Amino acid sequence: MNRQQQEIALRVAREVHNGKTKASAGRRLLSTEAKIPDGSAKIVIEVYQKMCEGSLFKRHLSRVDMTFFLQSFGGDGNAEELSRALDALRLHIRWRESDRVSQHGNREILAEQEARLADLLAEGVTSIAEVNREFQAKVALALVDNGDARRRRLAAAPRLPRKVAKLVYVYERSADVVAEVLAQSMGECNRCKRPAPFNRKSDGTPYLEVHHKILLSAGGDDSVENAEALCANCHRHRHFGVD
Ligand SMILES: [Zn+2]
Ligand SMILES: [Zn+2]
């Protein structure tokens, strides 16, 4: 298909997928409007449908058509939609390869599109520190607001918080660093030098928290040398207090 045919084919395949047009009417439209032979029209509509569902399609598309169709998924940062389309392509590749049909071209397309998917996913990712910073900025704003306005908002606010899923980066901290620093502390806070204020409910050991002197988010090492055991008060102080 040439570019113009591809665009018409995509539009019609979408309409069929959304239920706006019947598949048979879509095929007729493609042959009259875009001069796409009926057999090809049928294939395009079917493959597009399977891509939307993430299920196996048993039809062959040329490299340019395959790329064009996959490229239409994932607009507006919709990673899930692109991910499903790639599931469909993966199933197709596996199905062809089980019949020993080389899928070199499709594998290259898949790799390109997987890279695109990774970019889409990365755009939505934040960090816990960033989520906290955004919240603290809102608190600071709410504090300078006059009390009346704030109380009016409170009265009108839903009592149950909204729950949203966020994708965040987390550091995979070493459990050994934490254990070693706790063991070396002998139950004493490294800042105030007092014994841990209470023991853990779970195992009766002194409750101290392991803090990174140079924060991991600032590029600090996850090492015993860069870590210290602190009581909860001193830990908050290190993060938020004036020294
Ligand atoms: Zn302390
Ligand atoms: Zn800390």
Side-chain angles (χ1 to χ4, degrees):
M1 290 191 276
N2 63 36
R3 187 61 189 230
Q4 201 192 355
Q5 288 174 316
Q6 285 174 333
E7 273 162 12
I8 298 170
L10 175 63
R11 197 193 72 220
V12 170
R14 271 193 181 135
E15 284 174 9
V16 171
H17 175 67
N18 296 333
K20 273 193 218 145
T21 306
K22 281 206 173 125
S24 53
R27 278 160 63 178
R28 268 198 306 279
L29 212 68
L30 287 184
S31 65
T32 55
E33 208 183 308
K35 306 273 174 281
I36 297 171
D38 189 57
S40 308
K42 184 170 185 272
I43 290 173
V44 163
I45 289 171
E46 206 178 298
V47 170
Y48 184 80
Q49 179 70 26
K50 300 286 183 187
M51 282 177 172
C52 292
E53 294 166 2
S55 58
L56 172 65
F57 55 88
K58 296 188 168 181
R59 303 291 192 171
H60 174 78
L61 282 191
S62 73
R63 184 169 185 141
V64 278
D65 290 347
M66 182 72 83
T67 303
F68 177 82
F69 276 96
L70 288 174
Q71 206 66 30
S72 76
F73 291 90
D76 297 329
N78 192 335
E80 200 183 314
E81 173 187 282
L82 176 59
S83 172
R84 263 200 306 275
L86 296 189
D87 284 344
L89 176 57
R90 251 180 245 110
L91 289 170
H92 177 80
I93 291 174
R94 206 178 307 156
W95 175 69
R96 294 312 275 155
E97 285 179 347
S98 71
D99 277 343
R100 309 204 178 171
V101 180
S102 164
Q103 289 294 291
H104 181 71
N106 275 336
R107 281 195 171 275
E108 275 181 6
I109 295 173
L110 180 63
E112 277 163 28
Q113 295 295 325
E114 277 173 341
R116 221 183 113 224
L117 177 62
D119 284 345
L120 274 188
L121 287 170
E123 278 167 25
V125 182
T126 173
S127 68
I128 289 173
E130 187 52 38
V131 172
N132 288 337
R133 256 198 302 281
E134 282 169 13
F135 181 67
Q136 287 309 325
K138 284 187 196 165
V139 172
L141 264 181
L143 275 171
V144 296
D145 219 345
N146 81 52
D148 280 348
R150 190 167 62 237
R151 278 185 288 273
R152 259 199 311 279
R153 281 201 303 274
L154 277 171
R159 302 189 74 86
L160 281 176
R162 220 160 58 92
K163 191 160 133 187
V164 293
K166 288 199 176 182
L167 212 50
V168 293
Y169 280 118
V170 292
Y171 291 97
E172 253 181 15
R173 295 175 57 179
S174 157
D176 284 333
V177 168
V178 172
E180 183 61 28
V181 170
L182 287 177
Q184 286 181 14
S185 75
M186 309 285 283
E188 184 183 90
C189 170
N190 188 58
R191 183 169 170 272
C192 65
K193 309 293 178 196
R194 284 197 283 260
F198 55 87
N199 291 340
R200 275 173 207 276
K201 197 189 278 181
S202 57
D203 58 7
T205 58
Y207 181 87
L208 291 174
E209 298 171 352
V210 174
H211 166 75
H212 288 87
K213 297 176 198 168
I214 300 172
L215 301 184
L216 296 178
S217 56
D221 287 347
D222 188 22
S223 65
V224 173
E225 296 70 36
N226 187 41
E228 60 182 348
L230 298 171
C231 72
N233 248 347
C234 288
H235 193 189
R236 294 283 122 177
H237 189 278
R238 283 269 199 260
H239 279 270
F240 305 110
V242 189
D243 253 330

